[in-house]
């Protein structure tokens, strides 16, 4: 035991040095490197540190909405009197979780946190087995499971199986509560019928359509393999469903009804929970953010929080970096929307067009680095057709701008741009941004729909120009202590 | 799903999309969209019919058949239907010279067999003289950009074909089949013998998606041309402005020159399909 402590202490010291160096040279604020160093020196450090958290750990995973949901949970838990320790930068592999803990660790490997500290860890889909096992998380939140980076993760069924295996491999003493999206057939069935699961879903019959998107990943029932039929689709393959053999969507405990979108300003809805009902206004647009808010409420319910502070945290939520983040540049508004897979892109597109009007100024950027996924096929599964007739100035950018241009041609978007408008294909993001902004009238809005590394690149450009704060500053990563309430 | 356009000539291209509502991984929809648009832009009447579970493929019913990839679970669900309901029609269509494009998972299904390495061989339809062996999950999947030299490319035109591959199984073609192309970069059928895909009559099987046809307009037109030739005797097509398509094609060719090792991306966990 003593030797392990010493080992962890040494590893922690080395990791903290790595973190200072990383921040000093300005390369990503030390959001992962210290974790990488420590994990290498002492693979047991993650478990050792995480299990010292007095409030335990809440893990958030899923294809889309991990970052926003974990930011929401952090805000809700702060409002409820907890002191969340959160990997807010989105560094979500085990090394990122470890790096977050290291900022609160002493050189002896002891965690120095307030008594009301609780871990809120966004976790990459592939890192779930390791982080779940090591941190002994008390709550695992799964937002959804969509097709994303097939080259990296494999197909969605394979990921669901990894998660099921990880959950069933936990020791009997590990008391895990699952928070699952009732509207996602695969996610909803992850618990194998456990009574302690808390589900969330949308219960508004006026929201959505009657057929899934082209990019649907849930054609078959995850329980029996029968054909899945939808009564209502909110987006992607989420909705109200029943299979040929009668396996239906379970009734969620946390529900949003009477949903009203208000352009870029956000969405109002009635929140129904076992603790009562509230009308809330979420200041971030997009139906998927309603799901993220519900996931947050369900997590708070799993931890036994009162409804009042949770509902008020929804109303004051600021959003996470790069997710419908708004900037002002030379008198124009830039709205940056992360869109990294077909379903995310479809919802971004619907939010743009759903605001009504036409003549939108749109920038779309496609990169294919590892963090984006090297396979850009997915753009053919996204419904860019939604933009036909809606855009007056279109800027196409990123390392794979050429692929995107072909996609937008076959979607009919390029052909639908009026002769007074412009189509620009420009690989370099800085030039593309300048062109898109200067092409918009003063007081106008440019919507930038961008993949992950394009978002980071654009954002760091805006930071250098003084339009935004670094994401690790914004995330509070540099602040040594989280204020306890 | 049926897409109709106004017929302006006697010829009509009827595209059959096998399990179009179920097998749609790796953006197979892009291939169908490209075939459809390139007919429409030339005022060739075109119709896309999704051939679902239980539907037979009638003789002469389709001018082009397309079959994409699916998730493993989905694919097993379909195999029964493929053997009982589709096999005869599909075999007949290939025999009759109907242009067929089978990508990735369905390419494997049309061979003699698939050996998962962990259990008994799974029989294929045997339309293509080839078989596939999975070397085990510990062996690296073939993932990345691929450039091939298309053996049957129309004379006088470009012969490079570019795409993206993501498969665990290694495919070996028999003496009765020709390869679709020779691998210039990437893995292709098995990463060993330099072959990619297979051609039998007018049917093409390939691992390339990405989607395949958007960045390879010459291959899309080859399929449309063969379909028209069977009706009119001439495969001649009006040229289109393809500069965006060729620019995207060229980007992949250029990357090959500038990238050290674009293929064989990392795979996390035990991940990926068994295939």
């Amino acid at each position: 035991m003593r030797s392990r402590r010493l080992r962890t202490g040494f590893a922690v010291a080395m990791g903290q040095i790595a973190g200072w160096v990383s921040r000093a040279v300005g390369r990503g604020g030390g959001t992962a490197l210290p974790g990488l160093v420590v994990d290498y020196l002492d693979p047991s450090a993650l478990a050792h540190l995480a299990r010292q958290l007095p409030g335990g750990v809440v893990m958030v995973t899923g294809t889309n909405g991990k970052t926003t949901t974990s930011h929401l949970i952090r805000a809700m838990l702060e409002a409820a009197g907890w002191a969340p320790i959160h990997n807010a930068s989105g560094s979500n592999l085990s090394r990122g979780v470890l790096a977050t803990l290291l900022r609160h660790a002493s050189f002896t490997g002891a965690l120095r946190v307030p008594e009301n500290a609780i871990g809120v860890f966004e976790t990459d889909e592939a890192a779930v087995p390791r982080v779940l096992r090591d941190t002994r998380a008390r709550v695992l939140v799964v937002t959804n499971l969509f097709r994303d980076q097939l080259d990296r993760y494999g197909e969605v069924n394979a990921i669901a199986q990894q998660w099921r295996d990880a959950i069933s491999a936990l020791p009997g003493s590990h008391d895990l509560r699952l928070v699952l999206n009732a509207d996602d057939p695969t996610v909803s069935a992850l618990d194998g019928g456990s009574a302690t699961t808390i589900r969330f879903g949308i219960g508004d019959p006026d929201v959505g359509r009657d057929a899934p998107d082209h990019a649907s990943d849930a054609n078959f029932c995850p329980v029996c393999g029968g054909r899945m039929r939808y009564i209502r689709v909110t987006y992607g393959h989420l909705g109200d469903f029943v299979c040929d053999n009668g396996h239906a969507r379970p009734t969620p405990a946390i529900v949003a009804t009477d949903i009203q979108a208000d352009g870029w300003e956000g969405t109002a809805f009635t929140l129904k929970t076992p603790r009562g009902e509230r009308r809330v206004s979420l200041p971030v647009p997009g139906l998927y953010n309603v799901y993220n808010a519900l996931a947050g409420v369900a997590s708070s319910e799993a931890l036994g929080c009162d409804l009042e502070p949770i509902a008020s945290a929804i109303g004051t939520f600021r959003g996470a970096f790069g997710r419908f983040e708004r900037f002002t540049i030379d008198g124009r508004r830039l709205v940056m929307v992360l869109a990294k897979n077909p379903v995310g892109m479809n919802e971004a597109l619907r939010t743009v067009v759903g605001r009504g009007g036409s003549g939108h100024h749109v920038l779309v950027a496609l990169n294919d680095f590892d963090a984006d996924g090297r396979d850009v096929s997915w753009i053919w599964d996204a419904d860019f057709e939604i933009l036909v007739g809606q855009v007056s100035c279109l800027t196409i950018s990123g390392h794979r701008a050429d692929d995107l241009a072909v996609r937008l041609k076959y979607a009919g978007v390029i052909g639908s741009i009026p002769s007074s408008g412009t189509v620009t294909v420009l690989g370099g993001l800085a030039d593309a941004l300048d062109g898109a902004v200067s092409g918009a009238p003063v007081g106008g809005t440019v919507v930038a729909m961008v993949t992950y590394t394009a978002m980071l690149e654009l954002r760091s450009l805006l930071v250098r120009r003084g339009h935004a704060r670094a994401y690790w500053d914004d995330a509070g990563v540099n602040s040594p202590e989280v204020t306890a309430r | 799903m049926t897409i109709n356009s106004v017929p302006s000539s006697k010829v009509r291209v009827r595209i059959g999309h096998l399990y179009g509502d179920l097998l749609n991984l790796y953006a197979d929809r892009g291939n169908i969209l490209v075939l459809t648009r390139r007919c429409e832009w030339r005022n060739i009447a075109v119709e896309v019919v999704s051939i679902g579970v239980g539907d037979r493929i009638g003789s002469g019913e389709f001018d082009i058949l397309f079959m994409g990839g699916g998730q493993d679970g989905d694919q097993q669900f379909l195999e029964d239907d493929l053997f009982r309901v589709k096999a005869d029609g599909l075999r007949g269509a290939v025999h009759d010279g109907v242009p067929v494009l089978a990508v990735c998972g369905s390419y494997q299904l049309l061979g003699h067999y698939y050996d998962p390495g962990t259990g008994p061989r799974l029989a294929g339809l045997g339309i293509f003289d080839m078989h596939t062996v999975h070397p085990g999950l510990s062996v690296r999947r073939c993932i990345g950009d691929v450039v091939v030299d298309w053996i049957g490319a129309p004379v006088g035109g470009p012969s490079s074909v570019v795409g993206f591959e993501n498969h665990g199984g290694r495919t070996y073609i028999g003496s009765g089949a020709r390869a679709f192309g020779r691998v210039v970069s990437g893995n292709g059928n098995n990463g060993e013998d330099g072959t990619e895909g297979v051609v039998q009559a007018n049917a093409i099987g390939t691992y390339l998606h990405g989607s395949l046809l958007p960045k390879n307009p010459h291959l899309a037109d080859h399929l449309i041309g063969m379909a028209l030739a069977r009706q009119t005797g001439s495969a001649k097509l009006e040229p289109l402005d393809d500069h965006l398509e060729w620019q995207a094609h060229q980007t992949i060719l250029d990357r090959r020159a500038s990238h050290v090792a674009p293929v064989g991306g990392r795979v996390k966990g035990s991940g990926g399909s068994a295939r």
Side-chain angles (χ1 to χ4, degrees):
Chain A
M1 187 65 192
R2 181 173 159 74
S3 70
R4 193 173 69 73
R5 276 292 167 79
L6 283 173
R7 189 177 174 190
T8 301
F10 172 70
V12 166
M14 296 309 289
Q16 289 182 333
I17 290 167
W20 294 331
V21 171
S22 171
R23 279 191 289 276
V25 299
R27 294 185 62 88
T31 57
L33 182 67
L36 195 62
V37 170
V38 174
D39 203 26
Y40 175 77
L41 294 171
D42 178 10
S44 72
L46 175 58
H48 177 67
L49 292 172
R51 291 177 195 179
Q52 295 177 56
L53 281 164
V57 166
V58 178
M59 276 171 67
V60 182
T61 196
T63 310
N64 289 338
K66 287 186 289 290
T67 302
T68 299
T69 299
S70 66
H71 277 258
L72 268 158
I73 292 174
R74 173 209 183 135
M76 289 171 175
L77 294 185
E78 275 175 356
W82 291 94
I85 308 290
H86 173 210
N87 56 340
S89 68
S91 184
N92 63 12
L93 298 172
S94 51
R95 71 187 73 140
V97 173
L98 188 48
T100 302
L101 288 164
L102 283 171
R103 285 196 308 277
H104 303 275
S106 72
F107 284 122
T108 60
L111 207 57
R112 289 192 298 209
V113 291
E115 280 175 17
N116 56 347
I118 184 167
V120 177
F121 297 138
E122 165 185 348
T123 308
D124 181 86
E125 296 92 297
V128 166
R130 163 89 196 274
V131 176
L132 182 60
R133 185 196 67 205
D134 283 3
T135 66
R136 293 200 179 147
R138 59 193 283 199
V139 178
L140 172 62
V141 187
V142 185
T143 57
N144 48 55
L145 182 53
F146 294 115
R147 189 182 309 188
D148 183 22
Q149 298 193 21
L150 292 168
D151 57 323
R152 194 169 150 236
Y153 296 114
E155 298 156 5
V156 299
N157 293 342
I159 297 175
Q161 190 55 48
Q162 278 183 37
W163 290 345
R164 276 191 295 269
D165 292 348
I167 293 166
S168 61
L170 296 173
S173 57
H174 184 142
D175 184 17
L176 175 71
R177 294 203 80 177
L178 291 170
V179 168
L180 303 178
N181 189 335
D183 295 356
D184 185 320
T186 310
V187 169
S188 190
L190 279 175
D191 69 336
S194 161
T196 60
T197 299
I198 297 182
R199 289 188 174 77
F200 58 92
I202 284 178
D204 186 337
D206 296 331
V207 166
R209 305 172 292 282
D210 59 3
D213 285 357
H214 288 286
S216 178
D217 300 310
N219 294 315
F220 300 96
C221 174
V223 179
C224 68
R227 239 353 249 287
M228 194 66 89
R229 295 187 197 288
Y230 281 87
I231 298 118
R232 177 174 57 85
V233 174
T234 48
Y235 80 91
H237 61 243
L238 306 189
D240 190 3
F241 51 84
V242 60
C243 85
D244 283 350
N245 298 316
H247 294 111
R249 167 190 183 250
T251 306
I254 310 291
V255 181
T257 61
D258 303 315
I259 296 170
Q260 273 183 313
D262 181 18
W264 296 124
E265 305 313 314
T267 311
F269 58 93
T270 300
L271 176 64
K272 293 186 172 173
T273 82
R275 293 168 197 263
E277 279 186 36
R278 291 287 186 286
R279 185 76 185 165
V280 292
S281 288
L282 177 69
V284 193
L287 189 60
Y288 52 88
N289 282 317
V290 175
Y291 274 108
N292 294 336
L294 292 175
V297 174
S299 311
S300 307
E301 177 67 25
L303 294 167
C305 300
D306 288 339
L307 181 57
E308 208 49 62
I310 302 309
S312 71
I314 292 176
T316 55
F317 183 62
R318 290 186 307 132
F321 64 96
R323 280 84 172 170
F324 287 102
E325 195 174 5
R326 284 166 267 183
F327 307 90
T328 304
I329 304 171
D330 303 335
R332 286 88 166 173
R333 178 153 70 165
L334 175 72
V335 182
M336 197 188 304
V337 190
L338 173 67
K340 58 193 174 85
N341 47 39
V343 167
M345 183 61 84
N346 286 351
E347 286 315 293
L349 293 167
R350 286 199 184 98
T351 307
V352 172
V353 172
R355 295 178 59 251
S358 58
H360 294 293
H361 290 249
V362 172
L363 186 159
V364 198
L366 175 69
N367 277 356
D368 66 344
F369 295 108
D370 277 344
D372 302 294
R374 303 205 68 96
D375 184 355
V376 299
S377 311
W378 67 269
I379 59 173
W380 292 91
D381 288 330
D383 292 330
F384 286 100
E385 284 77 2
I386 293 170
L387 289 180
V388 170
Q390 307 286 324
V391 179
S392 64
C393 289
L394 176 65
T395 309
I396 303 167
S397 187
H399 281 240
R400 298 299 288 269
D402 297 323
D403 282 75
L404 199 50
V406 174
R407 174 69 187 101
L408 289 161
K409 172 184 174 178
Y410 281 88
V413 180
I414 290 179
S416 79
I417 306 244
S419 52
S420 57
T422 56
V423 179
T424 313
V425 183
L426 211 53
L429 267 173
D431 292 341
L433 177 70
D434 290 341
V437 169
S438 62
V442 171
T445 299
V446 176
V447 186
M449 286 174 282
V450 296
T451 58
Y452 191 73
T453 64
M455 184 268 281
L456 293 183
E457 191 182 332
L458 262 186
R459 235 188 149 278
S460 77
L461 186 71
L462 294 171
V463 170
R464 282 202 301 279
R465 293 180 179 180
H467 298 300
R469 289 207 298 157
Y471 66 89
W472 56 84
D473 288 341
D474 191 46
V477 170
N478 276 340
S479 42
E481 286 295 336
V482 174
T483 313
R485 295 195 187 193
Chain B
M1 175 189 67
T2 300
I3 301 169
N4 276 304
S5 72
V6 184
S8 65
S9 62
K10 276 178 290 185
V11 290
R12 184 183 67 147
V13 175
R14 208 170 141 91
I15 302 169
H17 185 180
L18 270 97
Y19 310 112
D21 52 341
L22 301 175
L23 286 186
N24 182 26
L25 201 61
Y26 305 126
D28 297 325
R29 183 180 157 220
N31 291 321
I32 294 288
L33 184 62
V34 167
L35 291 172
T36 310
R37 290 277 184 270
R38 297 184 73 80
C39 287
E40 288 171 353
W41 290 334
R42 295 172 165 120
N43 288 319
I44 299 165
V46 60
E47 188 182 355
V48 179
V49 178
S50 180
I51 308 172
V53 172
D55 300 340
R56 290 188 184 280
I57 299 169
S59 171
E61 198 179 346
F62 297 102
D63 305 298
I64 298 176
L65 286 169
F66 175 78
M67 204 173 163
Q71 300 207 61
D72 278 358
D74 299 2
Q75 227 158 273
Q76 280 152 20
F77 178 90
L78 296 177
E79 276 173 25
D80 179 56
D81 180 77
L82 190 66
F83 277 86
R84 282 193 308 106
V85 186
K86 304 288 190 291
D88 291 347
L90 205 50
R91 204 170 275 122
V94 173
H95 182 263
D96 293 346
V98 174
V100 176
L101 181 63
V103 177
C104 206
S106 60
Y107 166 43
Q108 294 176 338
L109 281 175
L110 298 189
H112 295 302
Y113 64 86
Y114 174 83
D115 182 346
T118 53
R121 284 178 180 179
L122 305 169
L125 285 189
I127 288 175
F128 292 138
D129 180 18
M130 52 160 257
H131 67 273
T132 302
V133 179
H134 198 294
L137 290 174
S138 59
V139 179
R140 202 160 70 162
R141 287 175 73 83
C142 302
I143 303 177
D145 292 322
V146 188
V147 176
V148 303
D149 186 34
W150 176 16
I151 295 166
V155 179
S159 65
S160 60
V161 168
V162 300
F164 195 94
E165 63 182 339
N166 183 354
H167 55 104
R170 269 53 168 182
T171 293
Y172 302 88
I173 55 178
S175 54
R178 285 184 297 128
F180 165 67
R182 279 181 288 267
V183 175
V184 177
S185 69
N187 293 281
N189 281 335
N190 48 52
E192 299 161 27
D193 63 15
T195 65
E196 205 304 307
V198 71
V199 174
Q200 208 134 335
N202 289 332
I204 297 170
T206 177
Y207 275 119
L208 304 190
H209 62 272
S211 295
L212 176 62
L213 298 181
K215 283 199 288 286
N216 298 288
H218 54 334
L219 180 57
D221 284 354
H222 175 71
L223 295 169
I224 297 170
M226 286 193 294
L228 293 183
R230 295 181 66 245
Q231 294 182 37
T232 66
S234 166
K236 208 165 156 49
L237 290 172
E238 227 178 282
L240 298 170
D241 173 3
D242 289 334
H243 77 274
L244 286 176
E245 290 85 340
W246 285 114
Q247 183 57 47
H249 184 102
Q250 189 62 40
T251 300
I252 303 299
L253 297 182
D254 293 346
R255 287 157 72 93
R256 183 170 54 87
S258 62
H259 277 237
V260 181
V263 292
R266 69 209 163 109
V267 180
K268 298 217 153 187
S270 66
S273 82
R275 300 198 167 213

